[in-house]
Amino acid sequence: MKVLSIVGARPQFIKVKPVIESFRRNRIQHILLHTGQHYDYEMSKIFFQQLNIPKPDYHLNVKGQTSTQQTALILQGLEGILKKERPDMVLVYGDTTSTMAGALASVHQKIPLGHVEAGLRSYRLDMPEEVNRVLTDHMSNLLFCPTKAAVDNLKREGITKNVFFVGDVMYDVFKQNISVGHSNILKKNGVKPKGYYLLTIHRQDNADNIENLKSILLALGKIKDSVVFPVHPRTQKMLKTLKDFKPENLPNILFISPVGYLDMLILEKNAKKILTDSGGVQKEAYFLNVPCITLRNETEWKETLNDGCNTLAGVSQEKILKAIKKTAPRKKPKSFFGDGRAAEEMVEVLKKILG
Ligand code: UDP
């Protein structure tokens, strides 16, 4: 059996790690293709180094283009590679341009397609991620769901064949790495365990919208503790354009470069509370039982809203400050994301189906 995985963005490098390990353990041939969607050292290479992910077999170098151009380049680049490799299955991960373009390229080549993290929905078709997810799910032959809610979402859209609840591969990686990180990331930023907040922003609604971005930062500028803020390149681009808005006027916010996965886990674990618009970070806050304030009005990970340890605050300053006060750890930790063996379960399914 030969499987080809397509990745291109930060969360996909994390998601593919346990899948590669499972293929290796089961002696299944695996080919890794990096589209080049994310290309900065801190957004790409550091994950390969820290998580010991093998060097990609193919790299499409689509960096720095618009989503439309990236889609075209990925389709074009994959055509020849898929023709040459003829894998038994292509796997795509999550909800990015690389996911959707990779899915379409496999469909064109009539190669069976598997979607890892299938069935997630925000029900907002103005979000590029939602369009990518819906299209990919409807093109896929095998759908690997991280939660039971994801299975139900697919059922509502009439997708019931070859849908498998395997658990979340991000929980696999989390479990494998939460105890291994030893770094000086707290010391480096002059913060103490449970003495700071952690902030991430990268969604179109917040990173590309000056008013929303300002509103979030002004709210956080009002709290007395430090806020560690690893800035995503997309958000950095917008911050650079803010002429009337100086980060130095918000001295409690520590603007730092994106950090590697192991440092991020340490920052998350030791944060008093986490503020984010990221899907992965919301889940990691949930795994760690660190209160999370989500800077959106909806979430694909509705399970994390149970017991009040994740609050949807949107971007209004008032709502964010209120949510920071009220969001607390939950009393009874419950896992909705499988048992940390999602990749192993996926490979079992693939072995049964592909032989
Ligand atoms: N992450 C990281 N360094 C950072 C910010 C995030 O390693 O500076 C990790 C985070 O721990 C999580 C993943 O990146 O595992 C989430 O990716 P992202 O927020 O880019 O995308 P999303 O999850 O929203 O698709």
Side-chain angles (χ1 to χ4, degrees), residues 57-73:
D57 300 283
Y58 293 97
H59 202 297
L60 298 182
N61 273 315
V62 303
K63 72 178 192 183
Q65 313 280 338
T66 64
S67 301
T68 311
Q69 287 164 335
Q70 283 178 347
T71 304
L73 289 171

Side-chain angles (χ1 to χ4, degrees), residues 10-11 14-15 47 95 170 200 202-203 230 232 258-261 264-265 268 277-281 284:
R10 172 169 69 187
I14 298 168
K15 286 168 197 173
F47 294 91
D95 56 21
M170 282 191 84
T200 79
H202 76 283
R203 298 244 168 238
H232 190 284
V259 296
Y261 182 65
M264 188 62 181
L265 289 185
E268 289 173 342
D277 59 10
S278 152
V281 177
E284 285 157 4

Side-chain angles (χ1 to χ4, degrees), residues 7 56 73-74 113 129 133 141 162 169 178 185-186 191 208 231 237 253 281 284 310 318 323 329 332 345-346:
V7 295
L73 289 171
I74 294 170
L113 174 69
E129 294 92 340
R133 289 181 200 118
N141 305 94
N162 287 332
V169 286
I178 187 62
I185 188 77
L186 300 191
V191 291
D208 294 357
V231 186
K237 206 165 148 194
I253 303 184
V281 177
E284 285 157 4
N310 181 13
E318 199 191 325
K332 277 183 275 164
E345 301 258 343
M346 264 179 54

